[in-house]
Amino acid sequence: MKESLLNMNQLLSAVKGSALNNKKECFFVKVATDSREVKENTLFVPLIGEVQNGHKYIPQAIENKASVIFINQDEYESNKSFYDQLAAKNTEIAFIIVNNTLHALQDAAEAYVARFPNLIKISITGSSGKTTTKELVVSVMREYFGEENIAYTKGNFNSETGLPLSVFQIKGNEKAGIFEMGMNRVNEIGEISKVLKSKYGIITNIGTAHIGILGSKKNIAQEKRKSFDYVPSDGAVFLPANDEFADYCVENVRGKVVRYGKDIPASESGVQFIEDKGLAGTVFSYENQIINFPLIGEYNYQNALGVVALAREMNIPAQVVKAGLEKIKVVSGRMDSKKISLKSGKTVMYISDCYNANPDSMGKVIDFCGNVNNEGKKIFVLGDMKELGADSKAAHEKIAEKIISSKADYVYLVGEEMENCFKSLEAKKFADKDFARRVFYYSDNSDKNFEDIAKKINQNSSEDDLILVKGSHSMSLEKIEPLLKNCAGQNKNLGEGETC
């Protein structure tokens, strides 16, 4: 029989809880915060949010054969007879009273991770690029340790609940664990850093994502640097040398500080830049290994340099680093570039980055597209950047400056916040007399508006145009692609790298 993730003594000690029905033992091999994910031998953790109280789903968790269930102390006190009867009726389940179910989840995960002291734990956070960097690290570690010998964050399970659930996926035989850390509130990084206690930590950058929540880049840096709090003296932290908050982030760090970036000399980094190949990625050498890095953009090259710095510190051979970086695939929704055939019959380069958007990532991708040497036009479809708070108006106005310098031919702006960008372009006389023909504004992301955008693009498209689609995930800009494409009754065969 498979061993329980934690036994009763370990669990009660970790969460400082008490067993409602005086059970002496418990058994669980899975942890879930969604009752629909509960299966036999699952610990169910009902969370209390602003809208939902997960305790209402405890009956469903019982029906789905949960073996352990946390109950918030205040919730228990407010409905004591109900929970006492529930425990008396379901004696095979361990009901554990805890002060706070979220913190209990984190504390249990911390106790579980502590069972594997030899696991090399790597944390990755940053305002942008953290998921891509995580995937790069995973690819290199796969090459070095083998597929079965690494644990890592699946998808974007990087939050106050996502990271604890991710570490419960550790089986125990792994050599390395690579975990992403995100945040949506003050001290979220601090809490999940305490869970993981990484040996190596990467901060990809300090940008303006979530500035509406935290108020300033200094506050964002203050939160992100908490990912370094538990890095030991024999560990190391990695961050871009040119980040304005680099010095601040490494204050009081116990481990080695490693700065990376294109300006770090080869004598220190082992890296020599060779060529930016635009839509074909970047070529560089590392310890005499020529690496054809497939992800596009200078910012992705920067992410790769962070991974190289980590690998160098871990004494991973250069040929292994090369193999890992060259095998990387585009992360879904992030700078996915491909050729597509439009309904107009034209073949264009389509760049989609619809997973998230903030002023840093939006500016970088517009700069990149502006510098691409394509024969056709540059067509931008840009959606709102969310969670910018009081900075939103100014941030969207600044995007207008990026658009102007990129020399875009057609611009489609979607969302209430993008009206600020539209007005700024108009005020700055972008495209001047052709403004009404080249710049279009849509107040919302309705299907009708997306259909109109796709229709206009097809009417104005030429062979070898470049189409960029970028916006926050909630804008649903990924819906535009199928409206553009000619997937039925194509008159020609698609070439290499083209999709319908």
Side-chain angles (χ1 to χ4, degrees):
M1 188 176 186
K2 192 175 182 180
E3 182 183 1
S4 181
L5 296 179
L6 294 168
N7 63 38
M8 182 65 92
N9 287 336
Q10 292 169 331
L11 186 58
L12 292 179
S13 176
V15 304
K16 298 178 177 60
S18 58
L20 177 58
N21 46 6
N22 295 315
K23 281 185 72 69
K24 302 300 181 185
E25 198 45 82
C26 68
F27 182 86
F28 64 100
V29 295
K30 181 184 177 182
V31 182
T33 58
D34 185 333
S35 61
R36 294 168 296 185
E37 299 294 322
V38 171
K39 297 178 182 178
E40 189 174 6
N41 297 323
T42 297
L43 161 61
F44 175 57
V45 183
L47 301 174
I48 300 176
E50 294 181 4
V51 178
Q52 287 271 28
N53 183 342
H55 289 78
K56 68 186 277 189
Y57 299 105
I58 286 178
Q60 184 178 348
I62 292 173
E63 185 178 333
N64 290 342
K65 299 186 177 180
S67 57
V68 185
I69 296 175
F70 285 169
I71 302 173
N72 187 291
Q73 179 74 48
D74 290 342
E75 176 74 19
Y76 173 69
E77 295 294 342
S78 68
N79 206 351
K80 191 171 184 295
S81 60
F82 170 76
Y83 288 109
D84 285 342
Q85 291 174 20
L86 208 60
K89 184 178 178 181
N90 298 278
T91 56
E92 74 284 3
I93 299 174
F95 294 87
I96 297 178
I97 309 300
V98 298
N99 186 55
N100 179 296
T101 51
L102 170 61
H103 294 159
L105 169 65
Q106 295 171 346
D107 292 341
E110 179 184 353
Y112 181 68
V113 174
R115 294 183 58 189
F116 312 108
N118 295 324
L119 180 71
I120 301 169
K121 293 169 291 185
I122 301 164
S123 66
I124 301 165
T125 192
S127 295
S128 59
K130 55 184 173 291
T131 299
T132 297
T133 301
K134 176 205 69 182
E135 293 297 326
L136 293 172
V137 174
V138 168
S139 188
V140 171
M141 296 301 161
R142 278 194 182 116
E143 291 296 314
Y144 188 56
F145 291 114
E147 175 71 37
E148 298 301 316
N149 292 320
I150 60 167
Y152 57 95
T153 303
K154 306 296 195 300
N156 64 338
F157 268 56
N158 60 15
S159 65
E160 59 188 1
T161 57
L163 183 128
L165 293 174
S166 289
V167 301
F168 274 118
Q169 300 297 316
I170 297 170
K171 298 182 180 68
N173 62 306
E174 298 94 341
K175 303 293 185 184
I178 305 99
F179 296 97
E180 183 180 332
M181 293 182 177
M183 68 173 184
N184 286 291
R185 61 171 176 82
V186 172
N187 202 40
E188 187 168 1
I189 293 285
E191 290 175 11
I192 58 182
S193 294
K194 181 175 178 288
V195 170
L196 187 62
K197 296 183 175 67
S198 58
K199 180 175 182 178
Y200 300 110
I202 299 175
I203 294 179
T204 60
N205 58 13
I206 303 298
T208 51
H210 307 306
I211 200 167
I213 298 170
L214 295 169
S216 70
K217 288 183 73 173
K218 178 70 175 288
N219 290 342
I220 292 169
Q222 188 173 23
E223 293 302 314
K224 294 295 186 182
R225 75 175 186 171
K226 291 177 182 178
S227 65
F228 292 165
D229 282 354
Y230 296 91
V231 172
S233 57
D234 63 342
V237 302
F238 307 83
L239 72 175
N242 63 357
D243 194 286
E244 64 179 308
F245 290 98
D247 291 340
Y248 176 69
C249 285
V250 299
E251 288 177 1
N252 303 316
V253 165
R254 291 188 297 273
K256 181 178 178 181
V257 174
V258 180
R259 300 171 192 257
Y260 62 86
K262 62 180 182 179
D263 295 328
I264 300 296
S267 59
E268 186 178 332
S269 67
V271 174
Q272 186 70 53
F273 172 80
I274 296 175
E275 181 186 5
D276 182 347
K277 300 185 72 174
L279 295 171
T282 303
V283 183
F284 66 98
S285 70
Y286 171 55
E287 300 291 0
N288 299 318
Q289 293 284 326
I290 304 299
I291 298 175
N292 290 285
F293 181 59
L295 300 190
I296 64 177
E298 185 177 315
Y299 45 93
N300 275 324
Y301 175 51
Q302 169 100 327
N303 294 333
L305 293 179
V307 178
V308 170
L310 169 67
R312 186 177 179 85
E313 186 64 26
M314 293 177 64
N315 295 313
I316 296 176
Q319 61 268 31
V320 174
V321 177
K322 170 183 167 67
L325 292 181
E326 290 187 342
K327 285 183 179 178
I328 194 67
K329 304 294 183 185
V330 173
V331 180
S332 177
R334 293 171 170 87
M335 284 302 284
D336 183 10
S337 63
K338 58 193 173 186
K339 290 182 179 180
I340 65 171
S341 177
L342 300 180
K343 289 179 179 177
S344 64
K346 308 299 183 182
T347 298
V348 300
M349 178 56 67
Y350 188 84
I351 298 177
S352 174
D353 194 349
C354 303
Y355 184 80
N356 212 342
N358 57 60
D360 305 300
S361 63
M362 181 77 80
K364 287 174 181 176
V365 72
I366 291 173
D367 286 346
F368 170 79
C369 290
N371 291 325
V372 170
N373 293 319
N374 63 306
E375 295 295 327
K377 298 181 293 295
K378 290 182 170 65
I379 301 169
F380 296 168
V381 183
L382 308 176
D384 281 353
M385 301 177 289
K386 301 296 187 180
E387 298 180 352
L388 298 181
D391 292 334
S392 184
K393 182 176 184 292
H396 284 83
E397 287 174 345
K398 286 191 74 172
I399 293 302
E401 298 173 12
K402 293 288 186 179
I403 292 171
I404 292 168
S405 60
S406 74
K407 296 180 172 58
D409 294 282
Y410 290 94
V411 181
Y412 301 84
L413 302 170
V414 184
E416 292 181 5
E417 297 299 330
M418 272 297 171
E419 185 177 10
N420 297 302
C421 180
F422 179 79
K423 289 180 177 178
S424 183
L425 286 172
E426 192 172 32
K428 294 176 186 295
K429 299 187 183 301
F430 174 70
D432 206 4
K433 295 177 182 178
D434 288 334
F435 184 81
R437 187 178 63 83
R438 291 174 53 190
V439 183
F440 304 89
Y441 171 67
Y442 300 83
S443 61
D444 61 59
N445 59 343
S446 66
D447 290 345
K448 180 181 178 182
N449 285 340
F450 285 164
E451 288 168 3
D452 190 66
I453 291 171
K455 179 181 178 181
K456 283 184 169 67
I457 290 176
N458 269 294
Q459 288 173 341
N460 296 319
S461 62
S462 304
E463 202 74 16
D464 198 35
D465 282 354
L466 184 153
I467 300 174
L468 166 66
V469 181
K470 171 74 174 174
S472 285
H473 186 63
S474 60
M475 297 305 296
S476 303
L477 296 181
E478 67 277 1
K479 291 182 178 180
I480 291 175
E481 183 179 348
L483 299 174
L484 288 170
K485 292 193 299 189
N486 176 25
C487 288
Q490 293 190 121
N491 297 320
K492 62 173 185 170
N493 294 322
L494 292 169
E496 184 179 354
E498 299 178 42
T499 64
C500 79

